[in-house]
Structure formats: C-alpha cells, structure tokens
Amino acid sequence: MKNLGGNIKSLRNFMRKDPGVSGDGQRIEQLGWLLFLKILDASDRELELLKDNFVSVIPQRLRWCNWAISAFIRVL
C-alpha cells in the first residue's frame, strides 16, 4: 500500500482509454467497486483458511481471484 496513490493514478490513466467510461466520477466509482471486491476476496480467502465450513456469498466465477485473472488475460 506504499504507493497506493501512484497505483490509482495509473489505473485512472488506463481507464481513460476505455470508450465506455466517461468522466472522473465514473472512473472513481468503478475504482471503488474494484477495491471493495478485492478486499472482500481477501477476507473470504482468510475465512476459508480459518473456518472449515465457510462458503463465500460471491459465486466462484465472480470472485476477484478468478475474475481479475481472466480480465487481465483479455487485456493482453
């Protein structure tokens, strides 16, 4: 988290290239959701280690750890 500001700036610059996203307000909203989903996934992964019967409320295909990889591969 040392360079969070730099990472957010890089993401905003990347998102500016997306024709479906217009304006900083929309980019900030989407970044907020991405951060929320990332934090939720980290929490779910921790709970999976700590509790034997834990099941995430997020479907497996939509979890950050799976979704981010497939989205990244599509960008490449």
Side-chain angles (χ1 to χ4, degrees):
M1 289 266 186
K2 184 177 177 182
N3 193 15
L4 182 61
N7 289 338
I8 289 175
K9 184 176 180 181
S10 295
L11 285 170
R12 284 178 49 210
N13 289 336
F14 181 78
M15 291 173 79
R16 283 190 175 102
K17 299 174 189 173
D18 186 347
V21 179
S22 59
D24 280 338
Q26 196 174 26
R27 281 188 282 275
I28 290 170
E29 180 183 3
Q30 288 186 5
L31 283 173
W33 274 109
L34 290 172
L35 289 171
F36 169 76
L37 292 172
K38 173 68 173 121
I39 292 167
L40 181 62
D41 187 66
S43 175
D44 283 353
R45 292 176 97 169
E46 183 177 348
L47 288 170
E48 286 173 345
L49 294 173
L50 297 173
K51 297 182 178 185
D52 291 334
N53 60 347
F54 177 78
V55 178
S56 175
V57 298
I58 307 293
Q60 198 63 343
R61 65 184 177 81
L62 298 176
R63 290 188 56 183
W64 177 269
C65 57
N66 298 321
W67 174 85
I69 290 170
S70 64
F72 179 73
I73 290 171
R74 279 191 302 246
V75 170
L76 295 176

